[in-house]
């Protein structure tokens, strides 16, 4: 309060905000917060006021309260360049004087004076806050003008670049595990083609889901929701990724891989996305969508769809369930309000049962790998610890059915898959071994 | 706050969604009364700067979580452009109504559910410190399931309509963009010709 008096109404009007943290994803939140706490070892960082997109902090340093304030920004600067402002912000630290409490022992006149002072300060603050709130609201209005500087970032978020990277890595793993000599050109073409196809599919998904994404915490900062890009541009981007991507796969790799890529885009955008709002079967369709990229990698390398490809696809298929079911457990409120048909909302017991079932299936599938000549017998043995661990977490989730067990299972799934694929690659049956065996037999 | 006087030769800049720029205190109430629906429509109280020739998008609405857009009307708007703008405006209103009512009914239903569950347990809505008692996610699960199944048909109808509108808007946008490019090409040709 005394800070407002000190700053004067104009300062208060411009809004005291400090630390413009970009809205972190749910997953990243704990890490960033811990980082903040780690950095400020002598400071207490407390949440004073949660404002939309802006956070205000009161910090305590050496027992004195201080408030960091940002000087008024140049109004000419385009609001879209908010992120650039971060680096240029100068924060000013002002000390907040503690407000002295009203003592009843004071004389009447001084009482009245103080009361007047407090009142006028309150009035000033009220006006300031009312005006401040309104001007803050006004500031939140943004011109829908596409800034070319922001375009790469916007397109990256539109195409869910991190998810795309994961998809490309599973396709690459499929390519590498395939029992053929490694061809670098083919590998690169496959990776790029799969990446483009994934970008296209993700963009169309976001294009379809704008009002639903607005209503869910996890997705409310997507580019189309925020109006950073028009729907037309999003669709054009998707088309300009899909066409070269599928063409690259079909012509540069082989038609089978191209067909699988096109089919996967169709499955994700036209089956999975609408089905999310109609039936819980969407989870199984989504699992197939996740299983296809490694199959694509395998077919890119070998040119044919054989048992090894289906095994890899099966492993990814089974993995999707503990991953997604655990994630969806914490989003039940948003799904219910937004009208999404997910197992976690409609059939919670089945949700946990299916997750556990597929964790155990992973053990079985890992054992199938040497039988199908994909890996040596080392693989089921080496992968047993991590498979048992995820099954254990799956069991805990099944039994406890609470937020902490679901989060543990989800985070485990994030490192379990890359580790499993890596182990598979290291235990890959060497081609020389195979050739020797076939020579011996003949 | 009256709209700033347009610069000479700029022509009148009109903004759909804000018929006139009143002072904020009078504006939102008056416009809301004119329109006869829920007050606090953010679009009615915001005035984009006169020199801007783009749409403006605002913060998420309190009830619907959707961001309102104030559409810019260019002085040489074609009939197709006008159709697009009006359709977008209409879709915005339709979306706003659906999601606002959906979220409000969700909150109400949730309150009632929590109240009834707490009552069954013999507890009050607020504890000794005056804080509202919340149920755990597991206890709320019954409500989430119930709410989803109750609103399923509504969502099916909404989805169908939304997909139709989304496609139409995007298609119209494409047509308008093509039309603009064609016009610009036409002007360039005449310039070159001259």
């Amino acid at each position: 309060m005394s800070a407002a008096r000190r700053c004067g109404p104009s300062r208060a009007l411009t809004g005291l905000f400090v630390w413009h943290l970009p809205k972190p994803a749910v997953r990243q939140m704990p890490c960033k917060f811990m980082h903040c706490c780690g950095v400020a070892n002598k400071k207490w960082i407390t949440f004073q006021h949660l404002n939309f997109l802006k956070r205000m902090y009161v910090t305590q340093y050496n027992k004195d309260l201080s408030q960091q304030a940002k000087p008024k920004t140049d109004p000419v600067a385009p609001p879209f360049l908010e992120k650039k402002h971060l680096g240029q912000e100068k924060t000013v630290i002002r000390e907040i004087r503690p407000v002295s409490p009203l003592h009843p022992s004071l004389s009447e006149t001084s009482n009245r004076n103080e009361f007047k002072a407090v009142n006028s300060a309150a009035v000033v603050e009220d006006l300031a806050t009312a005006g401040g709130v309104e001007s803050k609201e006004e500031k939140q209005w943004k011109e829908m003008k596409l800034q070319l500087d922001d375009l790469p970032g916007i397109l990256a978020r539109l195409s869910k670049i991190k998810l795309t990277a994961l998809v490309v890595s599973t396709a690459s793993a499929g390519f590498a595990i395939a029992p053929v000599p490694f061809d670098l050109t083919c590998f690169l073409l496959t990776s790029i083609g799969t990446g483009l196809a994934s970008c296209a599919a993700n963009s169309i998904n976001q294009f379809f889901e704008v009002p639903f994404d607005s209503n869910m915490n996890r997705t409310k900062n997507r580019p189309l929701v925020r109006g950073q890009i028009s729907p037309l541009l999003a669709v054009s981007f998707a088309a300009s990724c899909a066409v070269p991507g599928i063409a690259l796969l079909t012509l540069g790799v082989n038609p089978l891989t191209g067909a699988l890529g096109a089919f996967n885009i169709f499955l994700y955008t036209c089956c999975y996305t609408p089905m999310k709002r109609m039936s819980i079967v969407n989870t199984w369709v989504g699992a197939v969508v996740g299983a296809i990229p490694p199959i694509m990698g395998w077919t890119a390398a070998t040119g044919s769809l054989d048992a090894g490809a289906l095994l890899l696809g099966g492993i990814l298929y089974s993995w999707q369930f503990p991953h997604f079911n655990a994630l969806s457990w914490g989003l039940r409120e948003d799904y219910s309000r937004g009208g999404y048909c997910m197992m976690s909302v409609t059939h919670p017991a089945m949700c946990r049962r299916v997750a556990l079932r597929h964790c155990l299936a992973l053990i079985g599938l890992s054992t199938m790998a040497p039988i199908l000549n994909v890996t040596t017998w080392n693989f089921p043995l080496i992968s047993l610890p991590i498979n048992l661990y995820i099954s254990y977490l799956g069991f805990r989730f099944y039994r406890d059915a609470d937020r902490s067990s679901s989060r543990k299972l989800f985070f485990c799934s994030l490192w379990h898959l890359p580790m499993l694929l890596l182990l598979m690659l290291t235990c890959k049956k060497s081609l020389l071994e195979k050739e020797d065996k076939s020579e011996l037999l003949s | 706050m009256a709209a700033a006087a347009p610069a000479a030769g700029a022509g009148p800049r009109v903004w759909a969604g804000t018929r006139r720029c009143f002072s904020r205190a009078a504006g939102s109430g008056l416009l809301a009364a004119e329109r006869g629906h829920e007050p606090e429509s953010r679009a009615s109280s915001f005035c984009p700067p006169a020199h801007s020739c783009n749409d403006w998008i605002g913060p998420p609405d309190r009830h619907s979580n959707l961001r309102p857009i104030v559409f810019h009307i260019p002085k040489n708007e074609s009939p197709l452009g006008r159709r697009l703008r009006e359709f977008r405006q209409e879709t915005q209103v339709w979306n706003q109504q659906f999601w606002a009512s959906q979220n409000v009914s969700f909150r109400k239903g949730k309150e009632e559910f929590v109240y009834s569950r707490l009552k069954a347990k013999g507890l009050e809505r607020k504890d000794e410190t005056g804080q509202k008692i919340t149920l755990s996610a597991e206890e709320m699960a019954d409500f989430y399931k119930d709410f989803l199944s109750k609103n399923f048909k509504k969502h099916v109808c909404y989805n169908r309509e939304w997909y139709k509108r989304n496609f139409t808007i995007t298609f119209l946008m494409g047509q308008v963009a093509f039309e603009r490019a064609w016009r610009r090409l036409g002007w360039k040709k005449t310039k070159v010709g001259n």
Side-chain angles (χ1 to χ4, degrees):
Chain A
M1 219 170 79
S2 44
R5 237 188 291 157
R6 210 180 247 249
C7 302
S10 58
R11 282 289 195 198
L13 269 173
T14 58
L16 311 155
F17 74 93
V18 182
W19 208 316
H20 188 143
L21 265 186
K23 200 90 175 171
V26 173
R27 243 186 278 158
Q28 292 169 15
M29 182 68 154
C31 306
K32 275 199 173 156
F33 194 69
M34 290 312 292
H35 174 74
C36 289
C37 289
V39 158
N41 41 21
K42 280 194 179 167
K43 293 185 190 181
W44 271 95
I45 300 178
T46 52
F47 274 79
Q48 167 127 73
H49 180 68
L50 200 73
N51 207 351
F52 175 73
L53 277 187
K54 299 169 196 166
R55 289 167 200 251
M56 284 155 65
Y57 289 86
V58 171
T59 62
Q60 186 175 31
Y61 192 74
N62 292 334
K63 285 191 186 169
D64 291 326
L65 284 173
S66 55
Q67 191 170 35
Q68 285 180 303
K70 182 178 82 103
K72 184 174 179 177
T73 47
D74 187 359
V76 175
F80 261 52
L81 293 177
E82 258 180 68
K83 282 202 175 161
K84 284 198 179 168
H85 278 169
L86 266 176
Q88 294 154 7
E89 266 173 26
K90 292 178 201 154
T91 53
V92 175
I93 302 185
R94 283 199 179 85
E95 200 188 281
I96 303 173
R97 265 190 318 187
V99 179
S100 54
L102 285 170
H103 291 297
S105 60
L106 285 170
S107 69
E108 232 186 79
T109 45
S110 61
N111 249 0
R112 251 186 278 136
N113 284 340
E114 235 181 84
F115 185 70
K116 271 191 200 161
V118 166
N119 231 10
S120 57
V123 164
V124 163
E125 203 195 86
D126 271 348
L127 276 176
T129 44
V133 161
E134 279 189 10
S135 74
K136 272 181 209 165
E137 263 184 38
E138 221 179 53
K139 277 197 185 137
Q140 289 168 5
W141 280 81
K142 303 232 181 321
E143 193 173 8
M144 290 177 84
K145 189 178 180 184
L146 187 65
Q147 305 282 350
L148 285 174
D149 305 339
D150 296 333
L151 195 61
I154 292 170
L155 292 178
R157 271 173 286 141
L158 183 70
S159 58
K160 298 189 211 173
I161 200 80
K162 290 183 195 161
L163 179 63
T164 298
L166 242 76
V167 166
V168 169
S169 59
T170 58
S172 313
F175 190 96
I177 292 171
V180 286
F182 186 80
D183 178 356
L184 184 66
T185 326
C186 193
F187 174 77
L188 289 172
L189 288 173
T190 310
S191 303
I192 296 171
T194 310
L196 288 171
S198 172
C199 286
N202 288 328
S203 306
I204 297 288
N205 169 270
Q206 289 197 21
F207 164 73
F208 283 157
E209 306 242 285
V210 177
F212 317 119
D213 284 344
S214 315
N215 274 285
M216 289 182 56
N217 277 316
R218 193 173 63 99
T219 53
K220 62 187 177 185
N221 286 313
R222 287 185 170 171
L224 281 169
V225 172
R226 290 171 71 176
Q228 291 174 315
I229 195 174
S230 77
L232 180 67
L233 205 57
V235 172
S236 311
F237 172 70
S240 62
C241 284
V243 170
I246 300 300
L248 200 65
L249 290 173
T250 312
L251 304 170
V253 183
N254 59 49
L256 179 61
T257 313
L260 282 172
F263 176 67
N264 213 17
I265 294 179
F266 166 76
L267 203 63
Y268 184 63
T269 57
C270 303
C271 298
Y272 171 70
T273 302
M275 227 189 234
K276 275 162 78 175
R277 309 183 57 77
M278 294 195 298
S279 155
I280 58 170
V281 175
N282 71 75
T283 312
W284 281 266
V285 173
V288 174
V289 171
I292 288 182
I295 298 179
M296 281 168 68
W298 184 289
T299 59
T302 64
S304 65
L305 199 68
D306 31 36
L310 295 175
L311 175 75
L312 258 181
I315 288 178
L316 261 290
Y317 176 83
S318 280
W319 175 85
Q320 303 288 334
F321 291 97
H323 174 76
F324 181 73
N325 287 4
L327 173 69
S328 69
W329 198 255
L331 301 172
R332 283 178 289 176
E333 175 166 358
D334 280 351
Y335 282 149
S336 167
R337 191 164 48 88
Y340 282 107
C341 296
M342 299 295 174
M343 265 194 281
S344 57
V345 181
T346 59
H347 299 78
M350 188 207 281
C351 176
R352 298 182 334 261
R353 210 168 44 233
V354 165
L356 175 61
R357 195 191 302 160
H358 283 273
C359 287
L360 297 169
L362 283 171
I363 302 177
L365 286 166
S366 302
T367 319
M368 289 282 288
I371 299 172
L372 293 174
N373 272 333
V374 180
T375 64
T376 60
W377 278 100
N378 289 334
F379 174 63
L381 293 170
I382 301 182
S383 63
L384 199 62
I386 58 171
N387 285 337
L388 281 176
Y389 183 61
I390 199 173
S391 302
Y392 166 69
L393 289 179
F395 176 71
R396 286 290 298 271
F397 176 50
Y398 174 74
R399 192 192 60 185
D400 301 341
D402 60 3
R403 194 167 162 76
S404 91
S405 57
S406 72
R407 281 168 66 88
K408 280 203 188 110
L409 180 60
F410 174 72
F411 285 119
C412 174
S413 74
L414 292 178
W415 60 255
H416 173 270
L417 180 68
M419 181 124 279
L420 191 71
L421 291 175
L422 199 67
L423 289 174
M424 221 174 170
L425 191 60
T426 55
C427 297
K428 177 180 167 181
K429 204 150 213 178
S430 115
L431 295 165
L432 295 167
E433 251 185 65
K434 276 194 187 162
E435 280 171 18
D436 288 343
K437 266 197 181 154
S438 56
E439 272 181 28
L440 277 169
L441 287 168
S442 61
Chain B
M1 184 178 80
R13 302 275 185 205
V14 188
W15 294 84
T18 65
R19 289 186 209 148
R20 278 163 291 180
C21 292
F22 291 112
S23 69
R24 240 164 245 110
S28 53
L30 205 69
L31 284 169
E34 269 183 48
R35 289 190 201 160
H37 56 61
E38 74 257 334
E40 295 281 350
S41 173
R42 291 250 176 86
S44 62
S45 58
F46 175 74
C47 269
H51 62 265
S52 168
C53 48
N54 290 303
D55 300 337
W56 283 70
I57 191 166
D61 180 75
R62 220 159 24 104
H63 298 298
S64 69
N65 294 317
L66 300 174
R67 292 176 183 246
I69 299 179
V70 172
F71 297 100
H72 167 70
I73 307 177
K75 53 180 175 159
N76 52 355
E77 188 181 48
S78 66
L80 198 64
R82 185 200 168 95
R83 193 172 134 211
L84 169 66
R85 180 178 48 81
E86 286 173 353
F87 191 65
R88 285 179 81 187
Q89 182 74 46
E90 190 200 314
T91 304
Q92 188 172 274
V93 170
W94 168 78
N95 249 335
Q96 167 73 18
Q97 281 173 354
F98 178 83
W99 285 105
S101 79
Q102 185 75 4
N103 292 334
V104 162
S105 83
F106 182 84
R107 264 177 237 148
K108 233 194 339 182
K110 188 176 174 184
E111 262 306 306
E112 284 168 11
F113 178 82
V114 172
Y115 180 72
S116 66
R117 278 291 164 100
L118 288 174
K119 210 174 170 189
K121 281 191 198 175
L123 295 164
E124 289 297 317
R125 188 70 185 86
K126 295 190 177 170
D127 63 14
E128 305 86 49
T129 61
Q131 289 244 331
K132 275 192 173 171
I133 304 178
T134 53
L135 298 175
S136 73
E138 312 318 319
E139 289 167 308
M140 293 301 301
D142 292 331
F143 168 70
Y144 297 147
K145 179 175 178 176
D146 191 47
F147 187 83
L148 187 66
S149 55
K150 268 200 215 142
N151 287 276
F152 182 72
K153 281 219 172 80
K154 228 204 268 181
H155 277 294
V156 167
C157 295
Y158 171 81
N159 296 340
R160 214 173 289 149
E161 187 63 27
W162 160 248
Y163 270 70
K164 258 195 265 171
R165 282 176 184 262
N166 199 21
F167 277 126
T168 311
I169 288 174
T170 312
F171 185 68
L172 283 171
M173 276 180 161
Q175 282 185 308
V176 167
F178 186 72
E179 191 186 62
R180 272 196 212 135
W182 194 252
R183 245 194 265 168
R184 220 173 283 166
L185 208 69
W187 286 337
K188 272 194 185 151
K189 276 193 176 157
T190 53
K191 270 190 187 170
V192 167
N194 290 343

